[in-house]
PDB file of all heavy atoms in Angstrom:
ATOM      1  N   TYR V1496      35.689 244.512  42.101  1.00 85.00           N
ATOM      2  CA  TYR V1496      36.968 243.816  42.066  1.00 85.00           C
ATOM      3  C   TYR V1496      36.951 242.548  42.986  1.00 85.00           C
ATOM      4  O   TYR V1496      37.462 241.524  42.582  1.00 85.00           O
ATOM      5  CB  TYR V1496      38.055 244.765  42.617  1.00 85.00           C
ATOM      6  CG  TYR V1496      38.261 245.997  41.860  1.00 85.00           C
ATOM      7  CD1 TYR V1496      37.739 247.218  42.343  1.00 85.00           C
ATOM      8  CD2 TYR V1496      38.859 245.996  40.606  1.00 85.00           C
ATOM      9  CE1 TYR V1496      37.918 248.373  41.610  1.00 85.00           C
ATOM     10  CE2 TYR V1496      39.030 247.190  39.879  1.00 85.00           C
ATOM     11  CZ  TYR V1496      38.530 248.387  40.340  1.00 85.00           C
ATOM     12  OH  TYR V1496      38.657 249.506  39.657  1.00 85.00           O
ATOM     13  N   ASN V1497      36.275 242.656  44.138  1.00 85.00           N
ATOM     14  CA  ASN V1497      36.309 241.482  45.042  1.00 85.00           C
ATOM     15  C   ASN V1497      34.992 240.696  45.049  1.00 85.00           C
ATOM     16  O   ASN V1497      34.958 239.703  45.766  1.00 85.00           O
ATOM     17  CB  ASN V1497      36.608 241.973  46.484  1.00 85.00           C
ATOM     18  CG  ASN V1497      35.652 243.035  46.956  1.00 85.00           C
ATOM     19  OD1 ASN V1497      34.509 243.051  46.629  1.00 85.00           O
ATOM     20  ND2 ASN V1497      36.221 244.013  47.711  1.00 85.00           N
ATOM     21  N   LEU V1498      33.988 241.145  44.343  1.00 89.00           N
ATOM     22  CA  LEU V1498      32.670 240.445  44.245  1.00 89.00           C
ATOM     23  C   LEU V1498      32.010 240.299  45.618  1.00 89.00           C
ATOM     24  O   LEU V1498      31.222 239.367  45.800  1.00 89.00           O
ATOM     25  CB  LEU V1498      32.875 239.038  43.611  1.00 89.00           C
ATOM     26  CG  LEU V1498      33.550 239.085  42.195  1.00 89.00           C
ATOM     27  CD1 LEU V1498      33.696 237.640  41.693  1.00 89.00           C
ATOM     28  CD2 LEU V1498      32.813 239.927  41.220  1.00 89.00           C
ATOM     29  N   MET V1499      32.328 241.134  46.549  1.00 93.00           N
ATOM     30  CA  MET V1499      31.728 241.023  47.913  1.00 93.00           C
ATOM     31  C   MET V1499      30.809 242.224  48.182  1.00 93.00           C
ATOM     32  O   MET V1499      31.314 243.320  48.464  1.00 93.00           O
ATOM     33  CB  MET V1499      32.857 240.922  48.948  1.00 93.00           C
ATOM     34  CG  MET V1499      33.777 239.660  48.827  1.00 93.00           C
ATOM     35  SD  MET V1499      32.835 238.152  48.882  1.00 93.00           S
ATOM     36  CE  MET V1499      32.364 238.106  50.599  1.00 93.00           C
ATOM     37  N   ASN V1500      29.518 241.927  48.119  1.00 96.00           N
ATOM     38  CA  ASN V1500      28.561 242.990  48.505  1.00 96.00           C
ATOM     39  C   ASN V1500      28.150 242.727  49.954  1.00 96.00           C
ATOM     40  O   ASN V1500      28.591 241.753  50.581  1.00 96.00           O
ATOM     41  CB  ASN V1500      27.360 242.976  47.552  1.00 96.00           C
ATOM     42  CG  ASN V1500      26.698 241.670  47.419  1.00 96.00           C
ATOM     43  OD1 ASN V1500      26.756 240.844  48.381  1.00 96.00           O
ATOM     44  ND2 ASN V1500      25.976 241.405  46.371  1.00 96.00           N
ATOM     45  N   ALA V1501      27.250 243.545  50.426  1.00 96.00           N
ATOM     46  CA  ALA V1501      26.857 243.384  51.836  1.00 96.00           C
ATOM     47  C   ALA V1501      26.178 242.068  52.159  1.00 96.00           C
ATOM     48  O   ALA V1501      26.461 241.479  53.210  1.00 96.00           O
ATOM     49  CB  ALA V1501      25.942 244.541  52.288  1.00 96.00           C
ATOM     50  N   GLU V1502      25.389 241.545  51.205  1.00 97.00           N
ATOM     51  CA  GLU V1502      24.753 240.254  51.423  1.00 97.00           C
ATOM     52  C   GLU V1502      25.787 239.135  51.499  1.00 97.00           C
ATOM     53  O   GLU V1502      25.669 238.270  52.345  1.00 97.00           O
ATOM     54  CB  GLU V1502      23.719 240.023  50.312  1.00 97.00           C
ATOM     55  CG  GLU V1502      22.969 238.724  50.507  1.00 97.00           C
ATOM     56  CD  GLU V1502      21.887 238.477  49.478  1.00 97.00           C
ATOM     57  OE1 GLU V1502      21.790 239.332  48.497  1.00 97.00           O
ATOM     58  OE2 GLU V1502      21.098 237.550  49.596  1.00 97.00           O
ATOM     59  N   ASN V1503      26.701 239.113  50.604  1.00 96.00           N
ATOM     60  CA  ASN V1503      27.711 238.078  50.570  1.00 96.00           C
ATOM     61  C   ASN V1503      28.538 238.113  51.817  1.00 96.00           C
ATOM     62  O   ASN V1503      28.961 237.057  52.433  1.00 96.00           O
ATOM     63  CB  ASN V1503      28.620 238.230  49.326  1.00 96.00           C
ATOM     64  CG  ASN V1503      27.889 237.831  48.098  1.00 96.00           C
ATOM     65  OD1 ASN V1503      26.876 237.182  48.081  1.00 96.00           O
ATOM     66  ND2 ASN V1503      28.387 238.351  46.951  1.00 96.00           N
ATOM     67  N   LEU V1504      28.929 239.347  52.296  1.00 96.00           N
ATOM     68  CA  LEU V1504      29.671 239.449  53.527  1.00 96.00           C
ATOM     69  C   LEU V1504      28.845 238.997  54.743  1.00 96.00           C
ATOM     70  O   LEU V1504      29.398 238.428  55.683  1.00 96.00           O
ATOM     71  CB  LEU V1504      30.136 240.903  53.689  1.00 96.00           C
ATOM     72  CG  LEU V1504      31.202 241.347  52.674  1.00 96.00           C
ATOM     73  CD1 LEU V1504      31.463 242.884  52.823  1.00 96.00           C
ATOM     74  CD2 LEU V1504      32.549 240.644  53.014  1.00 96.00           C
ATOM     75  N   GLY V1505      27.535 239.240  54.701  1.00 96.00           N
ATOM     76  CA  GLY V1505      26.673 238.765  55.736  1.00 96.00           C
ATOM     77  C   GLY V1505      26.650 237.219  55.821  1.00 96.00           C
ATOM     78  O   GLY V1505      26.668 236.658  56.943  1.00 96.00           O
ATOM     79  N   ILE V1506      26.688 236.572  54.691  1.00 96.00           N
ATOM     80  CA  ILE V1506      26.779 235.083  54.665  1.00 96.00           C
ATOM     81  C   ILE V1506      28.059 234.615  55.227  1.00 96.00           C
ATOM     82  O   ILE V1506      28.108 233.629  56.068  1.00 96.00           O
ATOM     83  CB  ILE V1506      26.605 234.583  53.193  1.00 96.00           C
ATOM     84  CG1 ILE V1506      25.200 234.910  52.692  1.00 96.00           C
ATOM     85  CG2 ILE V1506      26.853 233.110  53.120  1.00 96.00           C
ATOM     86  CD1 ILE V1506      25.037 234.600  51.162  1.00 96.00           C
ATOM     87  N   VAL V1507      29.135 235.293  54.980  1.00 94.00           N
ATOM     88  CA  VAL V1507      30.488 234.929  55.443  1.00 94.00           C
ATOM     89  C   VAL V1507      30.651 235.169  56.903  1.00 94.00           C
ATOM     90  O   VAL V1507      31.166 234.296  57.654  1.00 94.00           O
ATOM     91  CB  VAL V1507      31.582 235.604  54.634  1.00 94.00           C
ATOM     92  CG1 VAL V1507      32.960 235.314  55.268  1.00 94.00           C
ATOM     93  CG2 VAL V1507      31.536 235.191  53.130  1.00 94.00           C
ATOM     94  N   PHE V1508      30.253 236.359  57.370  1.00 96.00           N
ATOM     95  CA  PHE V1508      30.581 236.774  58.756  1.00 96.00           C
ATOM     96  C   PHE V1508      29.437 236.581  59.717  1.00 96.00           C
ATOM     97  O   PHE V1508      29.626 236.703  60.942  1.00 96.00           O
ATOM     98  CB  PHE V1508      30.983 238.216  58.744  1.00 96.00           C
ATOM     99  CG  PHE V1508      32.381 238.443  58.298  1.00 96.00           C
ATOM    100  CD1 PHE V1508      32.692 238.778  57.003  1.00 96.00           C
ATOM    101  CD2 PHE V1508      33.467 238.330  59.181  1.00 96.00           C
ATOM    102  CE1 PHE V1508      33.999 238.955  56.543  1.00 96.00           C
ATOM    103  CE2 PHE V1508      34.805 238.514  58.724  1.00 96.00           C
ATOM    104  CZ  PHE V1508      35.029 238.863  57.429  1.00 96.00           C
ATOM    105  N   GLY V1509      28.206 236.289  59.246  1.00 95.00           N
ATOM    106  CA  GLY V1509      27.154 236.077  60.170  1.00 95.00           C
ATOM    107  C   GLY V1509      27.387 235.039  61.236  1.00 95.00           C
ATOM    108  O   GLY V1509      27.358 235.307  62.431  1.00 95.00           O
ATOM    109  N   PRO V1510      27.741 233.774  60.838  1.00 93.00           N
ATOM    110  CA  PRO V1510      27.972 232.723  61.785  1.00 93.00           C
ATOM    111  C   PRO V1510      29.252 232.953  62.618  1.00 93.00           C
ATOM    112  O   PRO V1510      29.451 232.318  63.687  1.00 93.00           O
ATOM    113  CB  PRO V1510      28.085 231.450  60.935  1.00 93.00           C
ATOM    114  CG  PRO V1510      27.502 231.801  59.627  1.00 93.00           C
ATOM    115  CD  PRO V1510      27.741 233.279  59.447  1.00 93.00           C
ATOM    116  N   THR V1511      30.169 233.812  62.157  1.00 94.00           N
ATOM    117  CA  THR V1511      31.370 234.122  62.871  1.00 94.00           C
ATOM    118  C   THR V1511      31.138 235.106  63.998  1.00 94.00           C
ATOM    119  O   THR V1511      31.639 234.978  65.051  1.00 94.00           O
ATOM    120  CB  THR V1511      32.451 234.650  61.914  1.00 94.00           C
ATOM    121  OG1 THR V1511      32.708 233.664  60.871  1.00 94.00           O
ATOM    122  CG2 THR V1511      33.736 234.929  62.626  1.00 94.00           C
ATOM    123  N   LEU V1512      30.332 236.135  63.741  1.00 96.00           N
ATOM    124  CA  LEU V1512      30.170 237.238  64.672  1.00 96.00           C
ATOM    125  C   LEU V1512      29.086 236.934  65.702  1.00 96.00           C
ATOM    126  O   LEU V1512      29.058 237.529  66.774  1.00 96.00           O
ATOM    127  CB  LEU V1512      29.834 238.507  63.948  1.00 96.00           C
ATOM    128  CG  LEU V1512      30.950 239.100  63.009  1.00 96.00           C
ATOM    129  CD1 LEU V1512      30.431 240.291  62.263  1.00 96.00           C
ATOM    130  CD2 LEU V1512      32.157 239.485  63.876  1.00 96.00           C
ATOM    131  N   MET V1513      28.157 236.042  65.354  1.00 95.00           N
ATOM    132  CA  MET V1513      27.074 235.673  66.324  1.00 95.00           C
ATOM    133  C   MET V1513      26.837 234.192  66.310  1.00 95.00           C
ATOM    134  O   MET V1513      26.664 233.626  65.205  1.00 95.00           O
ATOM    135  CB  MET V1513      25.851 236.499  65.992  1.00 95.00           C
ATOM    136  CG  MET V1513      25.363 236.462  64.565  1.00 95.00           C
ATOM    137  SD  MET V1513      24.020 237.637  64.221  1.00 95.00           S
ATOM    138  CE  MET V1513      22.809 237.248  65.399  1.00 95.00           C
ATOM    139  N   GLN V1514      26.793 233.604  67.429  1.00 92.00           N
ATOM    140  CA  GLN V1514      26.579 232.126  67.575  1.00 92.00           C
ATOM    141  C   GLN V1514      25.574 231.919  68.652  1.00 92.00           C
ATOM    142  O   GLN V1514      25.610 232.579  69.701  1.00 92.00           O
ATOM    143  CB  GLN V1514      27.894 231.455  67.984  1.00 92.00           C
ATOM    144  CG  GLN V1514      29.049 231.688  66.981  1.00 92.00           C
ATOM    145  CD  GLN V1514      30.381 231.302  67.558  1.00 92.00           C
ATOM    146  OE1 GLN V1514      30.445 230.382  68.422  1.00 92.00           O
ATOM    147  NE2 GLN V1514      31.432 231.903  67.076  1.00 92.00           N
ATOM    148  N   PRO V1515      24.686 230.927  68.480  1.00 92.00           N
ATOM    149  CA  PRO V1515      23.633 230.637  69.526  1.00 92.00           C
ATOM    150  C   PRO V1515      24.299 230.097  70.791  1.00 92.00           C
ATOM    151  O   PRO V1515      25.252 229.321  70.724  1.00 92.00           O
ATOM    152  CB  PRO V1515      22.796 229.600  68.804  1.00 92.00           C
ATOM    153  CG  PRO V1515      23.645 228.942  67.750  1.00 92.00           C
ATOM    154  CD  PRO V1515      24.538 230.009  67.328  1.00 92.00           C
ATOM    155  N   PRO V1516      23.830 230.461  71.970  1.00 91.00           N
ATOM    156  CA  PRO V1516      24.428 230.030  73.208  1.00 91.00           C
ATOM    157  C   PRO V1516      24.436 228.571  73.411  1.00 91.00           C
ATOM    158  O   PRO V1516      25.344 227.951  74.066  1.00 91.00           O
ATOM    159  CB  PRO V1516      23.646 230.784  74.266  1.00 91.00           C
ATOM    160  CG  PRO V1516      22.347 231.177  73.589  1.00 91.00           C
ATOM    161  CD  PRO V1516      22.725 231.376  72.124  1.00 91.00           C
ATOM    162  N   GLU V1517      23.379 227.842  72.821  1.00 85.00           N
ATOM    163  CA  GLU V1517      23.321 226.418  73.104  1.00 85.00           C
ATOM    164  C   GLU V1517      24.126 225.586  72.137  1.00 85.00           C
ATOM    165  O   GLU V1517      24.217 224.328  72.266  1.00 85.00           O
ATOM    166  CB  GLU V1517      21.825 225.948  72.989  1.00 85.00           C
ATOM    167  CG  GLU V1517      21.197 226.143  71.601  1.00 85.00           C
ATOM    168  CD  GLU V1517      20.582 227.515  71.484  1.00 85.00           C
ATOM    169  OE1 GLU V1517      20.894 228.404  72.329  1.00 85.00           O
ATOM    170  OE2 GLU V1517      19.817 227.746  70.519  1.00 85.00           O
ATOM    171  N   GLN V1518      24.737 226.234  71.143  1.00 77.00           N
ATOM    172  CA  GLN V1518      25.575 225.504  70.154  1.00 77.00           C
ATOM    173  C   GLN V1518      24.908 224.264  69.606  1.00 77.00           C
ATOM    174  O   GLN V1518      25.500 223.177  69.465  1.00 77.00           O
ATOM    175  CB  GLN V1518      26.912 225.076  70.844  1.00 77.00           C
ATOM    176  CG  GLN V1518      27.747 226.196  71.299  1.00 77.00           C
ATOM    177  CD  GLN V1518      28.218 227.175  70.181  1.00 77.00           C
ATOM    178  OE1 GLN V1518      28.652 226.645  69.188  1.00 77.00           O
ATOM    179  NE2 GLN V1518      28.078 228.454  70.367  1.00 77.00           N
ATOM    180  N   ASN V1519      23.636 224.437  69.167  1.00 78.00           N
ATOM    181  CA  ASN V1519      22.897 223.427  68.583  1.00 78.00           C
ATOM    182  C   ASN V1519      22.927 223.525  67.080  1.00 78.00           C
ATOM    183  O   ASN V1519      22.647 224.619  66.533  1.00 78.00           O
ATOM    184  CB  ASN V1519      21.398 223.472  69.135  1.00 78.00           C
ATOM    185  CG  ASN V1519      20.545 222.311  68.548  1.00 78.00           C
ATOM    186  OD1 ASN V1519      20.116 222.375  67.417  1.00 78.00           O
ATOM    187  ND2 ASN V1519      20.332 221.305  69.359  1.00 78.00           N
ATOM    188  N   ALA V1520      23.283 222.452  66.372  1.00 78.00           N
ATOM    189  CA  ALA V1520      23.433 222.507  64.904  1.00 78.00           C
ATOM    190  C   ALA V1520      22.110 222.903  64.269  1.00 78.00           C
ATOM    191  O   ALA V1520      22.100 223.626  63.229  1.00 78.00           O
ATOM    192  CB  ALA V1520      23.930 221.132  64.409  1.00 78.00           C
ATOM    193  N   LEU V1521      21.011 222.370  64.711  1.00 82.00           N
ATOM    194  CA  LEU V1521      19.688 222.699  64.118  1.00 82.00           C
ATOM    195  C   LEU V1521      19.354 224.148  64.314  1.00 82.00           C
ATOM    196  O   LEU V1521      18.832 224.828  63.399  1.00 82.00           O
ATOM    197  CB  LEU V1521      18.658 221.776  64.760  1.00 82.00           C
ATOM    198  CG  LEU V1521      17.210 221.912  64.179  1.00 82.00           C
ATOM    199  CD1 LEU V1521      17.196 221.608  62.681  1.00 82.00           C
ATOM    200  CD2 LEU V1521      16.246 220.996  64.895  1.00 82.00           C
ATOM    201  N   THR V1522      19.607 224.700  65.513  1.00 80.00           N
ATOM    202  CA  THR V1522      19.362 226.129  65.762  1.00 80.00           C
ATOM    203  C   THR V1522      20.202 226.976  64.880  1.00 80.00           C
ATOM    204  O   THR V1522      19.728 227.958  64.259  1.00 80.00           O
ATOM    205  CB  THR V1522      19.658 226.469  67.218  1.00 80.00           C
ATOM    206  OG1 THR V1522      18.848 225.621  68.106  1.00 80.00           O
ATOM    207  CG2 THR V1522      19.425 227.908  67.528  1.00 80.00           C
ATOM    208  N   THR V1523      21.462 226.619  64.682  1.00 80.00           N
ATOM    209  CA  THR V1523      22.381 227.402  63.851  1.00 80.00           C
ATOM    210  C   THR V1523      21.891 227.349  62.392  1.00 80.00           C
ATOM    211  O   THR V1523      21.870 228.393  61.729  1.00 80.00           O
ATOM    212  CB  THR V1523      23.813 226.778  63.890  1.00 80.00           C
ATOM    213  OG1 THR V1523      24.214 226.780  65.260  1.00 80.00           O
ATOM    214  CG2 THR V1523      24.765 227.587  62.997  1.00 80.00           C
ATOM    215  N   LEU V1524      21.460 226.237  61.954  1.00 86.00           N
ATOM    216  CA  LEU V1524      20.929 226.110  60.580  1.00 86.00           C
ATOM    217  C   LEU V1524      19.659 226.947  60.398  1.00 86.00           C
ATOM    218  O   LEU V1524      19.541 227.648  59.350  1.00 86.00           O
ATOM    219  CB  LEU V1524      20.623 224.641  60.270  1.00 86.00           C
ATOM    220  CG  LEU V1524      20.177 224.311  58.809  1.00 86.00           C
ATOM    221  CD1 LEU V1524      21.319 224.668  57.851  1.00 86.00           C
ATOM    222  CD2 LEU V1524      19.836 222.890  58.675  1.00 86.00           C
ATOM    223  N   ASN V1525      18.765 226.925  61.351  1.00 89.00           N
ATOM    224  CA  ASN V1525      17.523 227.675  61.272  1.00 89.00           C
ATOM    225  C   ASN V1525      17.762 229.210  61.286  1.00 89.00           C
ATOM    226  O   ASN V1525      16.992 229.945  60.721  1.00 89.00           O
ATOM    227  CB  ASN V1525      16.538 227.232  62.362  1.00 89.00           C
ATOM    228  CG  ASN V1525      16.041 225.828  62.219  1.00 89.00           C
ATOM    229  OD1 ASN V1525      15.998 225.352  61.062  1.00 89.00           O
ATOM    230  ND2 ASN V1525      15.623 225.198  63.290  1.00 89.00           N
ATOM    231  N   ASP V1526      18.791 229.567  61.977  1.00 94.00           N
ATOM    232  CA  ASP V1526      19.086 231.031  62.202  1.00 94.00           C
ATOM    233  C   ASP V1526      19.997 231.644  61.152  1.00 94.00           C
ATOM    234  O   ASP V1526      20.311 232.823  61.242  1.00 94.00           O
ATOM    235  CB  ASP V1526      19.636 231.253  63.602  1.00 94.00           C
ATOM    236  CG  ASP V1526      18.620 230.967  64.722  1.00 94.00           C
ATOM    237  OD1 ASP V1526      17.487 230.826  64.389  1.00 94.00           O
ATOM    238  OD2 ASP V1526      19.042 230.910  65.892  1.00 94.00           O
ATOM    239  N   MET V1527      20.520 230.851  60.195  1.00 94.00           N
ATOM    240  CA  MET V1527      21.505 231.365  59.230  1.00 94.00           C
ATOM    241  C   MET V1527      20.971 232.539  58.498  1.00 94.00           C
ATOM    242  O   MET V1527      21.705 233.527  58.253  1.00 94.00           O
ATOM    243  CB  MET V1527      21.922 230.213  58.330  1.00 94.00           C
ATOM    244  CG  MET V1527      22.848 229.190  58.952  1.00 94.00           C
ATOM    245  SD  MET V1527      23.472 227.966  57.795  1.00 94.00           S
ATOM    246  CE  MET V1527      24.429 228.985  56.614  1.00 94.00           C
ATOM    247  N   ARG V1528      19.750 232.530  58.080  1.00 95.00           N
ATOM    248  CA  ARG V1528      19.155 233.624  57.307  1.00 95.00           C
ATOM    249  C   ARG V1528      19.203 234.890  58.121  1.00 95.00           C
ATOM    250  O   ARG V1528      19.493 235.963  57.601  1.00 95.00           O
ATOM    251  CB  ARG V1528      17.761 233.232  56.873  1.00 95.00           C
ATOM    252  CG  ARG V1528      17.104 234.386  55.998  1.00 95.00           C
ATOM    253  CD  ARG V1528      15.706 233.889  55.447  1.00 95.00           C
ATOM    254  NE  ARG V1528      15.101 234.999  54.681  1.00 95.00           N
ATOM    255  CZ  ARG V1528      14.431 236.029  55.226  1.00 95.00           C
ATOM    256  NH1 ARG V1528      14.320 236.094  56.598  1.00 95.00           N
ATOM    257  NH2 ARG V1528      13.906 236.947  54.492  1.00 95.00           N
ATOM    258  N   GLN V1529      18.777 234.797  59.388  1.00 97.00           N
ATOM    259  CA  GLN V1529      18.742 235.955  60.285  1.00 97.00           C
ATOM    260  C   GLN V1529      20.142 236.482  60.587  1.00 97.00           C
ATOM    261  O   GLN V1529      20.370 237.693  60.651  1.00 97.00           O
ATOM    262  CB  GLN V1529      17.963 235.642  61.572  1.00 97.00           C
ATOM    263  CG  GLN V1529      16.464 235.577  61.448  1.00 97.00           C
ATOM    264  CD  GLN V1529      16.020 234.341  60.754  1.00 97.00           C
ATOM    265  OE1 GLN V1529      16.605 233.279  60.944  1.00 97.00           O
ATOM    266  NE2 GLN V1529      14.966 234.436  59.906  1.00 97.00           N
TER     267      GLN V1529
END
């Protein structure tokens, strides 16, 4: 119904629930997969 599996929810909530302490855009981009 909502088209949201665990992987899609990980993409949505990953950067929201965990953020790098240095707030560096490059670090954030490199860590998105993890």
Side-chain angles (χ1 to χ4, degrees):
Y1496 301 104
N1497 55 37
L1498 306 180
M1499 297 302 289
N1500 56 25
E1502 183 176 5
N1503 291 339
L1504 289 170
I1506 294 172
V1507 173
F1508 283 94
T1511 301
L1512 295 173
M1513 52 190 305
Q1514 303 166 27
E1517 62 273 12
Q1518 298 297 315
N1519 182 283
L1521 182 60
T1522 301
T1523 302
L1524 184 63
N1525 291 336
D1526 292 348
M1527 285 184 65
R1528 182 176 178 277
Q1529 285 75 36

